[in-house]
Amino acid sequence: SLPTIFVITPTYARLVQKAELTRLSQTFLHVPQIHWIVVEDSPHKTPLVSDLLVKSGLSFTHLHMPTNKDRKLQEGDPSWLKPRGVEQRNEGLRWLREDRRAQPGGDNQQGVVYFADDDNTYSLQIFEEMRSTQRVSVWPVGLVGGMKYERPVIEGGKVIRFHTGWRPSRPFPMDMAGFAVSLKLILANPEACFDGEAPMGFLESSFLQGLVTMDELEPKADNCSKVLVWHTRTEKPKMKREDALQAQGLGSDPAVEG
Ligand code: UDP
Ligand code: MN
């Protein structure tokens, strides 16, 4: 049988949340043997996300884990100041390790883990590329780091360096969307997680460092020559009219889920 792809997605409440999750869920509907682990950055699970997951038709697990207040980005902070989605990805990993331990049978270690932010754009092809991951597989990510794309550079089937706009000397100068890890490796390293205190740009490295060496990375997407995932970001909608109408008592009905 096909190895299951466990996708871990941090998500938080904002105007575009339902749109992002709708798009993502409808992408995943086209991917066979996928289990979606959605972790809300919230003190409780919200009805918006619960309903969306139930109606999606996907196999899913719904979790929540609020970001520690002093780790949360404040209004007006530059977006690079603090890493986002850290506690949520770690909570997804915690659930996965516990759930797999509880599964009977010999194939409870078979699978692949991928961290999919809710605002990126995913080609269906990337899921078929990652499905054969033995330890850690890697590929290019488009529209990231102030570049058209970043990618591992391959020679003789191995990663020899990274094409990146910034600090190529980082242990793993890759975006979250650019790698997948075998479930087996994650279960064999029960302490491996994301370090929210890691310096800027070192979040991915903090997780991968204990798991794999550069030499062991498995290039996908035609030796990392194809871009199959994009680090797209959604513009924050302007609410100028909404606010103006609200002041006159004519705002949108709060009972209608936006
Ligand atoms: N995220 C979150 N809490 C936050 C901000 C972001 O859980 O306070 C999630 C977000 O939904 C996304 C991931 O963390 O799935 C990465 O956030 P974002 O896309 O804003 O980061 P960027 O694209 O700027 O790296
Ligand atoms: Mn993003």
Side-chain angles (χ1 to χ4, degrees):
S1 62
L2 280 181
T4 301
I5 298 174
F6 295 93
V7 177
I8 298 178
T9 299
T11 188
Y12 70 112
R14 67 233 195 253
L15 285 164
V16 300
Q17 183 181 34
K18 194 174 183 184
E20 305 282 33
L21 293 177
T22 297
R23 181 175 41 194
L24 201 52
S25 68
Q26 292 179 358
T27 295
F28 294 161
L29 281 172
H30 294 284
V31 181
Q33 202 64 30
I34 190 169
H35 184 82
W36 194 16
I37 302 166
V38 177
V39 191
E40 286 196 68
D41 182 353
S42 161
H44 46 77
K45 298 185 205 177
T46 66
L48 186 150
V49 175
S50 297
D51 292 350
L52 187 139
L53 286 171
V54 168
K55 287 178 185 154
S56 74
L58 290 162
S59 165
F60 70 86
T61 298
H62 186 185
L63 306 170
H64 69 96
M65 176 58 68
T67 301
N68 200 308
K69 202 177 164 294
D70 46 277
R71 289 260 279 275
K72 191 122 180 139
L73 216 55
Q74 303 300 315
E75 188 83 30
D77 279 353
S79 72
W80 47 261
L81 196 65
K82 289 168 191 156
R84 289 161 297 278
V86 177
E87 280 106 318
Q88 292 74 34
R89 293 187 194 96
N90 288 338
E91 171 64 7
L93 286 169
R94 185 205 60 74
W95 176 85
L96 192 54
R97 286 173 172 129
E98 189 181 296
D99 177 73
R100 292 294 97 188
R101 225 189 352 256
Q103 290 301 315
D107 66 346
N108 61 348
Q109 301 238 326
Q110 254 230 53
V112 178
V113 181
Y114 183 52
F115 300 96
D117 290 354
D118 60 4
D119 57 341
N120 293 339
T121 304
Y122 304 90
S123 161
L124 299 180
Q125 183 63 35
I126 199 60
F127 298 99
E128 296 327 306
E129 296 286 330
M130 73 175 74
R131 209 182 286 277
S132 58
T133 302
Q134 296 301 301
R135 296 175 70 81
V136 176
S137 57
V138 293
W139 51 80
V141 176
L143 312 177
V144 71
M147 307 269 289
K148 198 167 147 187
Y149 61 80
E150 291 184 343
R151 67 161 166 169
V153 177
I154 312 304
E155 220 176 82
K158 298 247 180 218
V159 178
I160 53 155
R161 62 184 178 84
F162 293 88
H163 173 68
T164 171
W166 186 75
R167 286 189 82 164
S169 60
R170 288 174 288 161
F172 295 96
M174 301 190 289
D175 185 76
M176 200 64 72
F179 64 89
V181 183
S182 76
L183 178 59
K184 203 172 267 165
L185 192 62
I186 281 176
L187 298 176
N189 293 270
E191 304 302 319
C193 64
F194 293 95
D195 178 5
E197 302 296 313
M200 183 180 85
F202 285 76
L203 186 64
E204 291 82 355
S205 297
S206 75
F207 176 63
L208 291 171
Q209 248 172 337
L211 290 179
V212 75
T213 63
M214 188 163 129
D215 192 59
E216 294 169 324
L217 296 175
E218 300 149 44
K220 302 290 185 189
D222 211 350
N223 271 325
C224 296
S225 67
K226 301 249 177 345
V227 178
L228 299 172
V229 54
W230 296 265
H231 185 259
T232 44
R233 303 189 69 202
T234 303
E235 186 182 3
K236 187 173 183 227
K238 293 181 180 63
M239 289 292 119
K240 210 175 102 188
R241 312 265 173 210
E242 185 73 60
D243 295 344
L245 283 172
Q246 203 132 57
Q248 306 165 47
L250 296 169
S252 298
D253 185 347
V256 176
E257 198 177 80

